[in-house]
Amino acid sequence: MASYQRSDARAWAREHLVGCSAVTIPSYSADLTRLNERGIRHDVELAKQLGYTYTLLCAEVAITPEENAQFTSLAREAGGQDFGLFFHAAFGTLAENIRAVKLAEKAGADIVLLSYPPQFWPTSEQEIYDYTKQFCDATDLAVMLFPIPLWGFERVHPSGMSVELVRRLLKDCPNIVAIKSEQGFPLPAGICEMYHHFRDEVVISCPIEGDAIPLMSLMKLQFSGTSNTQWMSDYYPRAFELARQGEWEAAMALYWKVNPARSANGAAAQSYAGGTGVLNRTMWKYQDWLAGFNGGPLRAPAMRIPDRFMKPLRQGLVASGLPVTDDPDSQFMVGRFPC
């Protein structure tokens, strides 16, 4: 259960939604029939050890609502009460997302990242509003709004979610406490516009570390997430905290040091993200494995990661002076804690 009342959600977020969020992709048994408890515990414990204050419990991996609740419970036990957990509202329908969030509430989730199903095909802002409000009304948890071109809402408005729509949602959904601002990605227009209009109402998150650290020379950001950064070990929580505390030049020194890893990640992501609108969670899991996380197989349907991406990602970490395993890539699909 949440540690705050629904009516106090925004005040809670302003005080507690601080730092950086990792992304934890669940680990499975070798036969893919059940969750890998030891692998999950290891990954949550490592994310916390690296300095992350939250993690997103990724649900875009063929997991059921009931398994997701088990995933949440395991993460709560591993992370402790002082480690924040995002429920990922990424199931197939509004009804299924509502069922899953109610289970996750009981299992220990703190906050929601609101996604939209591939089958949700709105042709008006009213439809986007209705889906969002119905979900927000159904949960007592705080909700992070997530405008991004992945949803295809640009058919409704060029930005996907207009300022007017966001303003209406903030007015009518008091448990929307933050905005993960990626309208117009990969350009920074979304974060700039949301910060300009709504920074005094809700927490504005720039999840893209390559943008967030430079922008913190101009913006007061208290939280960044959720995104694929834990594969660079403790770099991002360290750099983000330096920038948040006013030591921006020191943060930028770390920023440039890890640029080879950032560039390798960007090149791999550009090969698929723009055309498919689907994130390659297998690649994310491999990147995590390079940094000491569990790794292991994912359920179908899952995208593959070919050798031509594995090698540059590994070398990007080496060139950045970041931790990277010596284990051969053949061990990735086995995982560190197979079961």
Side-chain angles (χ1 to χ4, degrees), residues 128-254:
I128 302 170
Y129 171 91
D130 288 343
Y131 183 105
T132 305
K133 188 172 189 303
Q134 286 180 64
F135 179 87
C136 291
D137 286 350
T139 180
D140 289 329
L141 292 181
V143 175
M144 175 179 277
L145 196 65
F146 185 14
I148 190 172
L150 292 174
W151 317 138
F153 294 170
E154 291 72 24
R155 77 178 69 91
V156 175
H157 187 279
S159 69
M161 285 190 179
S162 68
V163 169
E164 292 72 24
L165 174 60
V166 173
R167 180 174 287 117
R168 187 181 172 201
L169 286 168
L170 294 186
K171 175 179 178 292
D172 295 344
C173 304
N175 56 332
I176 293 179
V177 304
I179 305 173
K180 183 181 178 183
S181 310
E182 295 190 62
Q183 295 102 318
F185 179 82
L187 300 176
I191 180 67
C192 293
E193 188 169 51
M194 294 296 100
Y195 185 84
H196 174 81
H197 287 284
F198 303 118
R199 66 182 182 271
D200 294 330
E201 297 178 52
V202 294
V203 175
I204 305 298
S205 169
C206 178
I208 308 303
E209 62 82 22
D211 291 340
I213 300 300
L215 286 173
M216 288 172 80
S217 65
L218 305 170
M219 298 177 177
K220 292 183 178 180
L221 302 177
Q222 69 177 61
F223 179 78
S224 179
T226 58
S227 195
N228 178 29
T229 56
Q230 66 279 348
W231 80 290
M232 293 188 283
S233 294
D234 68 347
Y235 145 70
Y236 192 42
R238 288 171 57 210
F240 188 84
E241 184 61 17
L242 284 169
R244 198 169 74 87
Q245 297 299 330
E247 298 182 52
W248 183 75
E249 293 181 358
M252 285 302 295
L254 294 178

